[in-house]
Amino acid sequence: PVNGWRLSSTAVPPIFGTNKINSTSDGQYGVFWNGDITQDPPTGIIDAEYIMLLDTAFDLSAFPSVNFEFQQFGALFVEKQVVEASIDGTTWVEIGNNTDMGMYTAAGGSAFPNPSNRSYNVTKAFPNGTVLSAVKFRFRVFWGANVPASNKGIAYGWFVDDIKLTEGQPNDLRLANAFAIVGT
């Protein structure tokens, strides 16, 4: 595609020069950048939304707590970079985002560490009692309503790789207390 998501082992958004993600597998990865890469500089697409859907449904119903983990590299300007999950393929719930990574602007900031390990709890994103027998996941980049029109469409890029689902601890707080306070 001319813009949006692609799977690659060589594609790199212009701001990163030749720096691709240093993921554990060091193979193909998902990479996003907004703009027509045949133009110099690439022209951003205003009010775009780009989705990379993992087109497999996972049965997580046997597990009391499941984490969605992956490695990433990139930088955040004013766009939203989120991971979402769905149990019906049409209604999507945000399970995590990159707002804690900070913006990379003229005022400061930087690209994310290469790579950054991310883990989002899938189970906690849904109401108690939700049956997680056919969960799908997607990565989504979009620009919010509060972004000035002059900044919509500007993005640095986002690499994702080494996605995995892991069984989490259903009693995280109790275990954290045991290790930190009791020492067991």
Side-chain angles (χ1 to χ4, degrees):
V2 175
N3 54 59
W5 287 100
R6 71 206 70 200
L7 294 178
S8 179
S9 57
T10 58
V12 180
I15 191 171
F16 299 106
T18 59
N19 296 323
K20 63 179 192 163
I21 186 170
N22 294 328
S23 59
T24 302
S25 65
D26 197 32
Q28 281 201 320
Y29 47 82
V31 60
F32 161 80
W33 76 84
N34 185 30
D36 181 347
I37 60 171
T38 65
Q39 296 183 25
D40 188 19
T43 305
I45 313 272
I46 306 300
D47 274 338
E49 174 183 67
Y50 295 108
I51 294 168
M52 180 172 59
L53 174 67
L54 307 180
D55 200 23
T56 299
F58 297 91
D59 184 356
L60 308 177
S61 60
F63 306 99
S65 181
V66 176
N67 295 322
F68 181 90
E69 298 180 358
F70 63 100
Q71 290 185 313
Q72 72 173 4
F73 175 48
L76 189 63
F77 181 48
V78 293
E79 78 277 13
K80 307 281 185 180
Q81 299 172 348
V82 300
V83 177
E84 297 172 319
S86 176
I87 58 172
D88 61 11
T90 57
T91 305
W92 293 89
V93 175
E94 183 178 314
I95 61 171
N97 61 57
N98 278 335
T99 56
D100 63 309
M101 299 300 284
M103 297 281 179
Y104 186 16
T105 67
S110 63
F112 309 152
N114 187 4
S116 300
N117 295 311
R118 303 299 277 179
S119 180
Y120 303 128
N121 189 289
V122 178
T123 314
K124 291 179 182 176
F126 291 93
N128 284 341
T130 301
V131 177
L132 301 177
S133 60
V135 183
K136 286 190 171 189
F137 298 94
R138 71 183 187 180
F139 292 89
R140 180 174 167 230
V141 176
F142 64 100
W143 287 264
N146 296 328
V147 174
S150 61
N151 288 336
K152 285 191 177 183
I154 300 173
Y156 293 130
W158 190 20
F159 302 79
V160 295
D161 200 7
D162 296 345
I163 300 163
K164 61 184 175 181
L165 294 169
T166 61
E167 185 174 0
Q169 274 293 341
N171 301 304
D172 285 339
L173 273 178
R174 189 176 58 153
L175 290 171
N177 183 56
F179 280 102
I181 300 186
V182 181
T184 59

